[in-house]
Amino acid sequence: MAKVSAVNRNNRRAAMAKRDKAKRTALKNIINNRELPVEERFEATLKLAQMPRNGSQTRVRLRCKVSGRPRANYRKFEISRIALRDLASTGQIPGMVKASW
């Protein structure tokens, strides 16, 4: 099991990223629009820099929903390879069987 504080921190980051997504997207569109004046784009850059860093989607880490493990996760199942193997071995994932040849 991962540290509970690390999992909670990541959950807070995910919530902040979801909350700030629209505002960040709007500011980035202003910054990338070459037709706008430089001053307006610079102000948008400053506003984006003033926003909290943890509100960015890139700060959110993909963690296992079962164990909280931060590495070796399958995006499709949102669980780690170890948890996937345990659940598959006990038959809790439909259609997944252990390979043997």
Side-chain angles (χ1 to χ4, degrees):
M1 285 297 292
K3 289 174 64 175
V4 176
S5 61
V7 174
N8 290 339
R9 184 182 324 121
N10 196 52
N11 290 341
R12 278 195 307 272
R13 285 178 178 164
M16 286 181 73
K18 186 176 179 182
R19 181 194 69 195
D20 296 343
K21 184 176 183 178
K23 188 171 183 180
R24 282 182 171 276
T25 305
L27 288 172
K28 286 180 183 180
N29 288 339
I30 292 171
I31 293 167
N32 293 329
N33 188 355
R34 297 283 183 184
E35 296 174 0
L36 295 175
V38 177
E39 294 83 14
E40 187 176 341
R41 291 172 48 210
F42 184 69
E43 287 177 21
T45 305
L46 293 177
K47 285 182 183 177
L48 186 64
Q50 294 273 323
M51 294 182 73
R53 287 184 175 181
N54 283 337
S56 175
Q57 183 62 37
T58 58
R59 303 273 292 212
V60 179
R61 178 83 186 197
L62 178 65
R63 287 186 169 267
C64 176
K65 298 290 182 182
V66 177
S67 64
R69 181 178 163 83
R71 298 183 183 207
N73 288 302
Y74 288 92
R75 287 186 182 272
K76 183 175 182 179
F77 301 109
E78 295 184 349
I79 56 177
S80 68
R81 61 181 174 82
I82 299 167
L84 181 71
R85 182 182 171 126
D86 290 341
L87 292 174
S89 294
T90 59
Q92 295 181 2
I93 299 178
M96 188 173 284
V97 293
K98 186 175 176 183
S100 61
W101 57 89

